[in-house]
Amino acid sequence: MSLNDHWMRRDLEVLWHPCTQMKDHEHLPLVPIKRGEGVWLEDFDGKRYLDAVSSWWVNVFGHANPRINQRIKDQVDQLEHVILAGFSHQPVIELSERLVKLTPAGLDRVFYADNGSSCIEVALKMSYHYWLNVGQGQKKRFITLTNSYHGETIAAMSVGDVGLFTDTYKALLLDTIKVPSPDCYLRPEGASWEEHSRAMFAHMEQALAEHGHEVAAVIVEPLIQGAGGMRMYHPLYLKLLREACDRHNVHLIHDEIAVGFGRTGSMFACEQAGIRPDFLCLSKALTGGYLPLAACLTTDKVYQAFYDDYPTLRAFLHSHSYTGNPLACAAALATLDIFEQDDVINANRALATHMGQAFAHLAEHPHVAEVRQTGMALAVEMVQDKASKTAYPWQERRGLKVYQHALERGALLRPLGNVVYLLPPYVITAQQIDFLAEVASEGIDLATRSHVSVAVNPGLHPGFRDPG
Ligand SMILES: *Cc1c(COP(=O)(O)O)cnc(C)c1O
């Protein structure tokens, strides 16, 4: 028995994996990873895989990065964790100072959570509670975009809309207002991203006019709807949204959990629209992909609405056990150092250009409707019919074929349904991008050959993070 098989067996005896139909593992081998280095992951039999999806979008400077490793090692000997209520510590203070400096002017307060979904809960609760504190308790609904994703907890799912995925839990969800997404994949022939984003804004304007009085906040994934298939739109939409939120007295929440820290080409996506949201949610790449940590930044105006004598009960009495964990903060500080010292945002421009060039030929593929890109995120939309953009039935799980082919070739490419995408660590080289383009092309060729047998389990959802 190979070492991989050994670990796989032990795993499957006791684990229940995230976003997985466990029965798939009757025929789909699990990949136990022994070590990581840079963009590479190595399994127990010594096979290496190029991590093209940054291990679920979190890793930006490679696995086992010496600079981040050292910072964590130094921190662990000093202080591993301490309660953040009534107590504080150096890494969390320094990190907060740097996040305030780094983000758009006016985001002056940092509240910590320990994962992205919890961070969304913080923003939603804070927004609602703000309006309550200023005597506008009727503002308790949220506006969200179709095809959006904001996490897995109940309220985060409520503001999400990755259809088949949240439908199961519909009975449990908050009643939110859904506005058609500016998703430019769906733009009419001949329209530019900018024109389409502007045209789609009419729906938002209408929803705000109709519901503004009862709405606490609009929540969006700026520029890229990640889990919804890497669908993209123009920054103009965010600019219009900021202006309309002000006019209708509604908060704007930017969920930059996936797009923050350089993914869209700027440090934060909101910079491209020249705006400042009322709440900015950060996680994933915040710690370089090392440890769970999330930060919700907000304005002094919001903060002041909670600041009062204790008996008024205006305080934000929300907490997570690992809030502001020192090891996670140390990893985040090391990550921010790398951004600064290596001038990463500028260096990424050349990489992004190369990515675009390496994948451009796929646009001509008979079963590819679009190759789209925003900064360091690139997506290829596989379709049954190119002219009408008719999607493959999800039951055929074409993406899974790409995933399996990539594994064979030594790459971790994990499509979202029919969308094959690249969201690589920023330490990837041009040569490695070329390799991934080759693997993706082969995989797409294989997956789009006319006949693919239908999935064994028709009840299986093609949801977020499923390689189906
Ligand atoms: C991943 C993600 C989340 C949820 O973060 P978790 O840490 O997985 O809970 C929320 N919003 C967006 C846009 C994400 O991509």
Coordinates of all heavy atoms in Angstrom, one line a residue, residues 57 115-117 120 149-151 221 255 257-258 283-284 465, ligand 1:
W57 N -7.9 30.2 -2.1 CA -7.8 31.7 -2.3 C -7.2 32.4 -1.1 O -7.3 33.6 -0.9 CB -9.2 32.3 -2.5 CG -10.1 31.6 -3.4 CD1 -9.8 30.4 -4.1 CD2 -11.5 31.8 -3.6 NE1 -11.0 30.0 -4.8 CE2 -12.0 30.8 -4.5 CE3 -12.4 32.8 -3.2 CZ2 -13.3 30.8 -5.0 CZ3 -13.7 32.8 -3.6 CH2 -14.2 31.8 -4.5
N115 N -12.9 34.2 11.2 CA -13.0 33.6 9.8 C -13.9 34.6 9.0 O -14.5 35.5 9.6 CB -13.5 32.2 9.8 CG -14.9 32.2 10.3 OD1 -15.9 32.6 9.7 ND2 -15.1 31.7 11.5
G116 N -13.9 34.4 7.7 CA -14.6 35.3 6.9 C -16.1 35.4 7.1 O -16.7 36.4 7.2
S117 N -16.8 34.2 7.3 CA -18.2 34.2 7.5 C -18.6 35.0 8.8 O -19.5 35.8 8.8 CB -18.7 32.8 7.7 OG -18.4 32.0 6.5
I120 N -18.5 38.6 8.2 CA -19.7 39.1 7.6 C -20.8 39.3 8.6 O -21.6 40.3 8.6 CB -20.2 38.1 6.5 CG1 -19.2 38.1 5.3 CG2 -21.6 38.5 5.9 CD1 -18.9 39.4 4.6
Y149 N -21.8 35.5 -3.0 CA -21.4 34.6 -1.9 C -20.7 35.3 -0.8 O -19.8 36.1 -1.0 CB -20.4 33.5 -2.5 CG -19.9 32.6 -1.4 CD1 -20.7 31.4 -1.1 CD2 -18.8 32.8 -0.6 CE1 -20.3 30.6 -0.1 CE2 -18.4 31.9 0.4 CZ -19.1 30.8 0.6 OH -18.7 30.0 1.6
H150 N -21.2 35.1 0.5 CA -20.6 35.8 1.6 C -20.3 34.9 2.8 O -20.0 35.4 3.9 CB -21.5 36.9 2.0 CG -21.7 38.0 1.0 ND1 -20.7 38.9 0.6 CD2 -22.7 38.3 0.2 CE1 -21.1 39.7 -0.3 NE2 -22.4 39.4 -0.6
G151 N -20.3 33.6 2.6 CA -20.0 32.7 3.6 C -21.1 31.7 4.0 O -22.1 31.7 3.3
E221 N -19.6 41.9 -3.2 CA -18.3 41.4 -3.4 C -17.8 42.4 -4.5 O -18.2 42.3 -5.6 CB -18.3 40.0 -4.0 CG -18.6 38.9 -3.0 CD -19.0 37.6 -3.8 OE1 -20.1 37.4 -4.2 OE2 -18.1 36.8 -4.0
D255 N -17.4 43.2 0.9 CA -16.8 41.9 1.3 C -15.6 41.7 0.4 O -15.7 41.2 -0.7 CB -17.9 40.8 1.1 CG -17.3 39.4 1.4 OD1 -16.1 39.3 1.6 OD2 -18.1 38.5 1.3
I257 N -13.2 39.8 1.3 CA -12.5 38.6 1.9 C -11.7 37.8 0.9 O -10.6 37.4 1.1 CB -13.6 37.7 2.6 CG1 -14.1 38.4 3.8 CG2 -13.1 36.3 2.9 CD1 -15.4 37.8 4.4
A258 N -12.3 37.7 -0.3 CA -11.6 37.0 -1.4 C -10.7 38.0 -2.3 O -9.7 37.6 -2.7 CB -12.6 36.3 -2.3
S283 N -10.2 38.9 5.1 CA -9.8 37.7 5.7 C -8.9 37.0 4.7 O -8.1 37.6 4.1 CB -11.0 36.8 6.1 OG -10.6 35.7 6.9
K284 N -9.1 35.7 4.5 CA -8.3 34.9 3.6 C -6.8 35.3 3.5 O -6.1 34.8 4.3 CB -9.0 34.9 2.2 CG -10.3 34.1 2.2 CD -10.8 33.7 0.9 CE -11.9 32.6 1.0 NZ -13.2 33.0 0.6
R465 N -17.2 25.5 -4.3 CA -16.0 24.7 -3.8 C -16.2 23.2 -4.2 O -15.3 22.4 -3.9 CB -15.9 24.7 -2.3 CG -15.4 26.1 -1.9 CD -15.6 26.3 -0.4 NE -14.9 27.5 0.0 CZ -14.9 28.0 1.3 NH1 -15.5 27.4 2.2 NH2 -14.2 29.1 1.6
Ligands
LIG1 C1 -14.5 32.7 1.4 C2 -15.4 33.9 1.4 C3 -16.2 34.2 2.6 C4 -16.2 33.3 3.8 O1 -15.0 33.2 4.5 P1 -14.7 31.9 5.4 O2 -13.4 32.2 6.1 O3 -14.6 30.7 4.4 O4 -15.8 31.7 6.3 C5 -17.0 35.3 2.6 N1 -17.0 36.1 1.5 C6 -16.3 35.8 0.4 C7 -16.4 36.8 -0.8 C8 -15.5 34.7 0.3 O5 -14.9 34.4 -0.8

